[in-house]
Amino acid sequence: VSNHPEYRAIAENPSARRELPFLYIADEDNFYEGNIDLAAVDGDKYVLLDVKTPQCGQEEAIEKARSYRPQQDVYVSAVEGIGGMEVGRFVFQFSRAEAQVSEDVTSEVRSRALQNLGVTKDQIENGENQPTSIGSECRFCGFASVGLCCGGPRQS
């Protein structure tokens, strides 16, 4: 990942922070926590990057990025709620595919993220939505650790 030129462009930014932990208290009933793989200030907005490790090609990476949208929604909402500045771009870096899937965070994306936070959380709590069926992903996912998901089959 560190050799990918687009990753390096973010990582070499003097404001870049890796494994940036956060706790976002949205309201008295909802909080979100996690670790952002890479974050930096780009102009007057943030750019956020999350590394993904599935073995896939470029086309499959684009489709997989859509399946990770709930994570993107949490990160964008949390960073904007905590940081006092907008996120301008969100990037999924697929390490094995050596590909990036990048999305500009527009007002529509921002609105969707805020709306989806509550919907996704309710679906997970009601058992209607399981974040993954791939056990190895559970080692890195926060949903199971905070009791929002029973997780896929555990792998060591």
Side-chain angles (χ1 to χ4, degrees), residues 7-17 39-43 47:
Y7 177 92
R8 281 199 338 263
I10 299 168
E12 292 173 359
N13 181 316
S15 68
R17 300 292 180 267
V41 176
D42 185 19
V47 58

Side-chain angles (χ1 to χ4, degrees), residues 48-121:
L48 308 177
L49 183 143
D50 190 69
V51 176
K52 295 298 180 196
T53 59
Q55 185 72 27
C56 63
Q58 175 67 35
E59 291 305 313
E60 190 178 357
I62 293 168
E63 189 60 36
K64 280 219 160 278
R66 288 187 191 108
S67 74
Y68 292 119
R69 192 162 275 154
Q71 182 182 9
Q72 177 181 339
D73 293 342
V74 169
Y75 285 15
V76 167
S77 299
V79 167
E80 290 188 354
I82 295 167
M85 205 164 65
E86 290 183 346
V87 173
R89 188 164 59 105
F90 190 93
V91 179
F92 284 112
Q93 178 80 42
F94 288 85
S95 61
R96 294 180 184 160
E98 298 182 5
Q100 271 194 359
V101 178
S102 180
E103 180 177 22
D104 290 337
V105 179
T106 63
S107 59
E108 290 172 351
V109 170
R110 190 171 290 107
S111 177
R112 179 206 71 213
L114 286 171
Q115 180 179 2
N116 286 345
L117 277 181
V119 172
T120 301
K121 182 176 177 275

